Amino acid sequence: MKEKLYPVHIAIMVYMIQTGVVMFSLPRIMAEVFGYNGWLMVPVFTLIAALNIGLIAVVYRLSQGRSVFEILERSLTKVGAYPLYLVLIAVWSLLGCMVAKHYVYIFQTMAFPTTHPMLFKLLIDIVTFLLLIKGIYNISKATMAFFVLTIWMGLLLLFFGPNFEFARLTPFLLKGGTETIRSGLNGYSAFLGYELTLLLFPYVKAKKGFIKAVHAGNLLTGVLYTLYAFVAFGFYSLGQLTAFRFPMLDMLSYIRLPFVERIETLFFGFFFFTVLITIVLYIWASTEALNRMFPKAESKLLAAALLIVIYGVSWLPDTLSKVEIWLKWLGYGQVIIAIGLPVFLILILLIQRRKEQGHA
């Protein structure tokens, strides 16, 4: 019998996919886009993500837990679905690739600046491959372990209490920012990742608790993001938030312990676990689509080939700024997939149901 994913696995996986190094720049993004008290938009983005998850719930209910790939191939035919698979593989695999490169560059600003970044990237890809070949259930167990290793870091916010000032929040609401749709998408991309749950339908044990678990994971992310952003807006002024590239990382440097120096480097190292799960699940999703295109090929070989290709691509952006540009545009594509794919699947399922009723 195949092992199945329980709701607790799903909730933690959603949280770990959504949470990453973007958290360190999220207060800056909110300050630049929305201005004073921009942290108030974090719960709004959480609600938007919840509405998007509602579309996934409709797909899940209409499909009765069938694989997304089966749904697509039934209407588009196997070959007809290939272009869509290629788009999904390109966006998801490149996202995983650039998330890894982004983490490497930030880590290098804190430690090992003389080491070539692609060496660190290679080590991350090796660990990613070792997790990928274990299958989604073992990935979920690793996710649970990594969750325990990182969730306690939310308590670090208590260190900033003495320097928090409500006066920095000011009575102005969402004033002084750019407030453009494109800029807002940059902030919303921090909540994406839940769309990968579309591929988990066949692996779920408790059918009724699946969507609730996805909402629970998104809610946990939203609560923690809100707390991080709120504390950052009370710890720094608006000008400081927009000036610092990674405000949350700078905040960690204010923590002083008598037995450790450069404590922010240690804490940032713990976030590798959340980044690793994000990378693994994006590459896993890409490998799932590849398996549909090449069903006779060995899954491990497909995963290895995909990692080799994206490792080659990762040489192209050779600075942190270029990586962030890649992530920005991939984030736009991710938003389109997160909203467009469930809507497309709902239309297909409704058409399929109408045809079945017609035949009946």
Side-chain angles (χ1 to χ4, degrees):
M1 294 180 62
K2 291 184 178 180
E3 294 177 296
K4 295 289 185 178
L5 299 176
Y6 288 85
V8 65
H9 296 134
I10 303 297
I12 299 304
M13 287 173 71
V14 169
Y15 163 77
M16 295 290 277
I17 297 171
Q18 290 178 307
T19 307
V21 290
V22 69
M23 181 191 72
F24 294 102
S25 57
L26 184 63
R28 172 181 58 79
I29 296 172
M30 295 293 103
E32 289 176 345
V33 178
F34 301 106
Y36 291 101
N37 287 300
W39 65 272
L40 289 170
M41 288 301 297
V42 178
V44 175
F45 284 145
T46 305
L47 178 60
I48 295 173
L51 294 175
N52 199 169
I53 293 170
L55 293 176
I56 297 175
V58 175
V59 176
Y60 187 64
R61 185 168 62 252
L62 291 175
S63 67
Q64 298 179 339
R66 284 183 293 152
S67 167
V68 167
F69 300 117
E70 293 178 7
I71 297 169
L72 290 170
E73 291 169 9
R74 183 175 176 182
S75 292
L76 302 178
T77 72
K78 196 174 186 66
V79 176
Y82 280 6
L84 178 58
Y85 291 168
L86 289 173
V87 171
L88 296 178
I89 292 168
V91 173
W92 286 338
S93 61
L94 288 176
L95 269 169
C97 171
M98 291 304 150
V99 166
K101 194 74 178 286
H102 194 220
Y103 179 86
V104 166
Y105 272 131
I106 297 175
F107 186 72
Q108 275 206 302
T109 64
M110 307 167 65
F112 308 107
T114 59
T115 305
H116 199 287
M118 294 308 296
L119 176 59
F120 287 120
K121 177 65 170 60
L122 177 61
L123 295 176
I124 291 175
D125 285 351
I126 291 173
V127 177
T128 299
F129 177 74
L130 293 176
L131 273 174
L132 276 175
I133 61 178
K134 296 298 182 181
I136 188 63
Y137 185 75
N138 287 304
I139 292 173
S140 72
K141 290 192 286 187
T143 303
M144 295 288 289
F146 294 160
F147 172 78
V148 174
L149 289 173
T150 56
I151 189 61
W152 62 270
M153 297 188 69
L155 297 175
L156 295 175
L157 294 176
L158 298 175
F159 282 95
F160 309 119
N163 295 311
F164 183 93
E165 294 184 13
F166 282 96
R168 293 194 179 102
L169 300 178
T170 77
F172 299 104
L173 296 179
L174 309 181
K175 299 293 184 181
T178 58
E179 297 182 7
T180 63
I181 294 177
R182 179 178 294 183
S183 299
L185 289 177
N186 292 334
Y188 182 62
S189 62
F191 293 84
L192 295 174
Y194 54 81
E195 69 277 6
L196 297 185
T197 56
L198 285 165
L199 307 187
L200 296 178
F201 291 176
Y203 302 98
V204 177
K205 174 68 174 180
K207 301 296 184 182
K208 292 183 179 180
F210 173 67
I211 296 301
K212 290 181 180 178
V214 179
H215 279 298
N218 177 64
L219 180 61
L220 178 58
T221 303
V223 169
L224 290 178
Y225 274 179
T226 301
L227 289 174
Y228 294 146
F230 174 73
V231 171
F233 271 80
F235 190 85
Y236 291 123
S237 67
L238 182 67
Q240 290 173 317
L241 280 176
T242 54
F244 293 144
R245 196 166 194 174
F246 305 105
M248 292 299 297
L249 198 55
D250 292 308
M251 285 173 62
L252 289 178
S253 65
Y254 282 85
I255 299 176
R256 292 288 185 267
L257 296 177
F259 50 87
V260 180
E261 291 191 14
R262 297 295 305 273
I263 193 68
E264 69 273 15
T265 304
L266 176 63
F267 290 147
F268 188 73
F270 275 97
F271 279 95
F272 170 72
F273 297 115
T274 62
V275 172
L276 178 61
I277 293 302
T278 301
I279 298 166
V280 168
L281 288 173
Y282 275 121
I283 304 301
W284 171 81
S286 302
T287 306
E288 288 286 288
L290 268 178
N291 283 329
R292 301 300 297 195
M293 296 179 68
F294 306 100
K296 295 183 180 180
E298 177 67 31
S299 181
K300 295 179 182 179
L301 292 177
L302 290 177
L306 182 61
L307 284 169
I308 291 172
V309 170
I310 62 175
Y311 181 76
V313 174
S314 66
W315 284 82
L316 297 178
D318 53 3
T319 63
L320 179 59
S321 298
K322 291 180 180 178
V323 170
E324 289 178 341
I325 291 173
W326 277 65
L327 283 173
K328 180 181 71 175
W329 287 102
L330 288 169
Y332 297 155
Q334 191 183 11
V335 170
I336 294 172
I337 290 173
I339 299 174
L341 183 57
V343 171
F344 185 53
L345 288 168
I346 290 171
L347 292 175
I348 287 178
L349 286 166
L350 290 176
I351 292 172
Q352 290 178 357
R353 175 175 289 189
R354 180 170 295 182
K355 287 182 178 180
E356 291 173 356
Q357 291 174 348
H359 287 308

